[in-house]
Structure formats: C-alpha cells, structure tokens
Amino acid sequence: MSAHPVDEKLPAAKMATTGLQHVAAMYAGVVAPPLIIGAAIGLSGTELTFLTGACLFTAGLATFLQTIGVWKIGARLPFVNGVTFAGVAPMTAIVASTEDKSDALPIIFGAVIVAGLLGFIAAPFFSKAVRFFPPVVTGTVITLIGVSLLPVAFGWAQGPDPAADDYGSTTYLGLAAATLVIVLLLRRFTRGFVKQIAVLLGLVVGTLVAIPFGATDFSPVADAAVIGFPTPFHFGAPQFQVAAIVSMCVVMVVSMTESTADMLALGEIVERPADEQTIAAGLRADTLGSALSPLFNGFMCSAFAQNIGLVAMTRIRSRYVVATGGGFLVLMGLCPVAASLIAVVPRPVLGGAGVVLFGSVAASGIQTLVKAGLEKDSNVLIVAVSLAVGIIPITAPEFYHAFPETAKIVLDSGISTGCVAAVVLNLLFNHLGRPRRADDEPMLTRDLATP
C-alpha cells in the first residue's frame, strides 16, 4: 500500500529546493517580530542579529516538532511554525513599561515560558472544539486567513520602509508586478518539478531583476558571521511578572485558536482531515515549542498560514519537505551568513510572490465553502456576518481603538474574531435544536415557490 502524500519522502534535491521555498515564503514573518522588539529595546546591530538568528533557530525546532513529531506532540502535517506576530503588540507594551530595558527580554521570556506550559496542559481540552468546525465554519476561517494575509503582501510590494519617500513608488510596485507575472508564467507554461518550485524561481529571478534598480541590498551577506550559536539565556535568566504573564496567556489563546483553524485548513488541502487527536498533538507542539523557545532567546511560536498557501498552490503535501525547511531554519540560526542570503530578497519581490501564495489560501477557503451547503439561508448568514466581522481589522484598523489593550490583542486578529463569530453563529443557527422551518429550505426553491 502506497504512503499518503503527507508521509511521502521525495528525492533529496526536490526535498531541498521545495523546503527552501517554504523558508523563503515565511522568512520575513519570522524576522519581523525580533527586529521590531529589538529596535524598541534599543539593541545594538550585533545583538539584533543575534536575536533574529535565535528566532530562526527556534522556528526550525518548532517546525521539527510539528512535522516529525514526538510521542503525542506534533500534528505530523506539512505545518510550519515560527514567531507569532500576535505577540508583537503586548511584547512592545512590556518593553515600554519596563524601566530598565535590559530586563525587558527576560520578562518577555518568563511570560512566554509560563504561557507555553499552560497552553501545553490545555491543548487536549482546547482540541475538543473541533466538532464546532463544520465546512461552513472552516471555509469561512480559511477564506479569512487568506484575506487577512493579503495586506501583508501589499505592504511588502510597496517597499521595505513605510517611512521612506520612495515607499509605494512605481519602481517597487513594478518589481512586485514583475515577480507576480514571472510566477504566473512559470505556473502556466512549465511542467513537473519546475512548475512546483515556481515561487522559489520567481523570487530568484525577481531578485536579479531588482539589482539594476538598486533595490537589492547585499550588505547583510558581507556583514554576517559564518557561525553563531544562540547561547541559552543570552539576555539573562527569565523573570516572571504577573501582568506580562497574563498578556502572553491571552496571546497564547489567540495563537491556539488560529493554529486550530490553520490545521483544519491544511487538513482539507492535503486531504487528511485534522481530527481531535491531530489538533491536540499540533497544539502541544505549538505550546511546547513556545515554552522551549525562550531557552534559546526566541519568542512564542505559532502556525504560519502563508505556507498553507504554498502547499495549496504546489500540491506538494509531504511533511518531510516542511521538515527540511525546518532544517534550513536551524542552519540559518547557527550560520548567520546563510540567513542573510534569504534577507537579500527585496520586499517588493516577496510581495509579488505573496499575492499568489495568500490568494491561494483564500481560494482554498472558497472551495471549502462550496461544500458547506450555502443553499441554506442560515449558512449564508453565518458566512456573511463572520466574514464581515473578520475583515474589520483589515478595512477599519482603528475600529476598536476605544477598547482596552488586552481586548485589542484578540479583536485586532481578524482570523480569531471571524472564527469565534462563525462558531457562535453555527451553534445558534444549526445546533440549538429548533425544528426545521421553511427558511432552512434552499433559497432558490423558496423563491420559485413564492407567488
């Protein structure tokens, strides 16, 4: 009996190139949080490089946990883990409230350790919520994941620095468009392996095209060290403060909610639906990876939804490909000069490729919604309201400005709020035991029957 595509081991060359493609898709998302937090603290360039390398290293370890698995830990799906962006706002708040900035990272690390351990204990209970995720809910959430990620791609397309005068210039937008066209042409006119690594090839060609325009910066390669191990507790032993722990526990709940939605989405895409046991194992990997991450100076880890788009587009479903990507992340953490090679890719080039990747996630959600019984009036309402709630942070970023900061951690995540709305509305319309009524009939049938 042949192995399921998720458990397939590909030839070494194909494993390496497709694994590197996953790293290219997630790299900017992994390095952004340490760069933001490090800048807020005022770290030197050397320390900032160290912190970034540590986050790459711990992202690789967390990805190993998810893909390869140990005991009942790991979803064993092509599931990429990295630093969650949901923690950036509360971590920045912790930095701002810390008088001695040298204590900021130890306080953050202590809070992440506690939140990770509590999340690990809660994982099997949290996973029981899977029965509240029928296709009408999962399709809505998958669509929201893609829609929520698209603004990230649009931001990348405009350039590396929002404060710069040339941000959003025709040069940057042209490079993004060129990369998008290259990826589309490769997907349309090539076959087999070349077609599967179209995104990676698009990033390489786009980077080369950007050189004459001065958009490619090779200084990270020249300045990077060859070897650099993330020394345990390099920034000091963890400190435990109640306020910081509470804020990171809230982030952990948000992270677990998004990871659950991501696992359900990925299970649909790879045709191995994520059941309660799979979700529990995946959440254990998320939370244990988060608890261990501060040991090596990393932050809270969570699923990376952008890589789900890569799986959906390439149809390469092997978890060992993603594990290989995890190996590259560990290597980058140990070899800063290797990490700097990915850093050379200009943001506009990443943005052009991101349109394809993130749009593919939204398209997968729409495919799931097709199976969700949208001929029922109640399901249409569930999707309509949940999507509306989920895109509030995208279309009206200041909508929740009057709410407390702790509440905004949840509310500013369209994936989380949309997911909660879909689950609650599904319970209201489909599970609260009211008898079948005419408005449950297909809308077209009712319309035809109306005089």
Side-chain angles (χ1 to χ4, degrees):
M1 185 178 177
S2 60
H4 190 283
V6 169
D7 300 316
E8 184 181 3
K9 294 182 179 179
L10 306 180
K14 190 172 184 179
M15 197 94 77
T17 51
T18 49
L20 188 59
Q21 190 169 234
H22 274 283
V23 174
M26 72 177 293
Y27 179 84
V30 175
V31 302
L35 290 176
I36 294 170
I37 302 304
I41 294 172
L43 296 180
S44 65
T46 303
E47 294 290 87
L48 197 57
T49 300
F50 181 94
L51 184 64
T52 303
C55 287
L56 289 167
F57 180 78
T58 54
L61 295 182
T63 299
F64 278 145
L65 272 178
Q66 279 289 12
T67 54
I68 305 301
V70 178
W71 182 58
K72 295 182 179 181
I73 301 170
R76 291 172 175 82
L77 291 171
F79 203 48
V80 176
N81 270 48
V83 181
T84 175
F85 213 87
V88 170
M91 287 192 293
T92 304
I94 291 171
V95 172
S97 63
T98 305
E99 290 187 17
D100 186 350
K101 300 305 179 187
S102 64
D103 289 332
L105 283 175
I107 291 171
I108 290 171
F109 292 153
V112 171
I113 290 172
V114 174
L117 292 176
L118 291 176
F120 185 84
I121 295 170
F125 306 101
F126 202 93
S127 67
K128 294 185 183 301
V130 68
R131 65 181 181 274
F132 301 122
F133 288 82
V136 69
V137 174
T138 56
T140 301
V141 173
I142 297 168
T143 304
L144 276 174
I145 291 171
V147 172
S148 297
L149 287 170
L150 281 170
V152 176
F154 301 150
W156 289 345
Q158 294 179 81
D161 184 6
D165 292 336
D166 61 353
Y167 186 71
S169 67
T170 54
T171 299
Y172 285 148
L173 296 182
L175 289 172
T179 304
L180 174 60
V181 170
I182 291 167
V183 173
L184 292 176
L185 291 176
L186 287 170
R187 291 289 298 178
R188 173 62 182 85
F189 294 108
T190 61
R191 295 173 179 264
F193 182 55
V194 174
K195 183 176 182 178
Q196 291 173 330
I197 62 168
V199 173
L200 181 60
L201 293 176
L203 292 174
V204 172
V205 176
T207 300
L208 295 175
V209 171
I211 292 175
F213 296 95
T216 306
D217 181 12
F218 290 96
S219 61
V221 178
D223 298 337
V226 176
I227 299 175
F229 184 78
T231 312
F233 298 131
H234 174 81
F235 295 98
Q239 300 178 26
F240 303 95
Q241 290 191 1
V242 174
I245 290 171
V246 170
S247 66
M248 295 313 293
C249 282
V250 172
V251 174
M252 178 57 73
V253 172
V254 173
S255 174
M256 292 172 75
T257 302
E258 293 190 358
S259 287
T260 299
D262 288 342
M263 276 184 272
L264 290 166
L266 188 58
E268 291 285 335
I269 290 168
V270 302
E271 298 177 353
R272 179 183 277 182
D275 57 15
E276 185 178 315
Q277 289 183 335
T278 301
I279 292 173
L283 292 177
R284 287 191 188 99
D286 263 10
T287 53
L288 182 61
S290 295
L292 294 176
S293 185
L295 173 65
F296 298 103
N297 313 284
F299 299 133
M300 186 178 291
C301 294
S302 182
F304 265 50
Q306 53 262 53
N307 293 80
I308 296 175
L310 190 56
V311 174
M313 192 188 75
T314 63
R315 303 303 296 166
I316 297 177
R317 295 176 277 180
S318 171
R319 60 191 172 103
Y320 295 104
V321 164
V322 174
T324 302
F328 280 120
L329 290 171
V330 170
L331 175 64
M332 289 176 177
L334 298 175
C335 181
V337 72
S340 67
L341 291 174
I342 298 292
V344 166
V345 180
R347 285 291 178 87
V349 173
L350 281 173
V355 170
V356 178
L357 295 178
F358 306 156
S360 295
V361 178
S364 296
I366 294 170
Q367 288 177 329
T368 303
L369 285 174
V370 169
K371 313 172 195 173
L374 292 186
E375 70 278 359
K376 288 178 61 176
D377 202 2
S378 57
N379 283 349
V380 171
L381 289 173
I382 292 170
V383 175
V385 176
S386 300
L387 287 177
V389 170
I391 65 174
I392 286 175
I394 303 171
T395 57
E398 299 300 318
F399 190 81
Y400 299 112
H401 74 276
F403 284 73
E405 289 298 321
T406 51
K408 287 196 287 185
I409 294 171
V410 179
L411 296 173
D412 284 343
S413 169
I415 298 171
S416 295
T417 53
C419 179
V420 171
V423 169
V424 171
L425 290 172
N426 179 61
L427 286 172
L428 175 65
F429 283 103
N430 294 329
H431 289 275
L432 289 185
R434 63 179 177 80
R436 181 178 175 84
R437 291 166 38 184
D439 60 3
D440 283 330
E441 296 175 2
M443 287 188 291
L444 181 59
T445 302
R446 288 189 283 111
D447 291 342
L448 291 174
T450 302

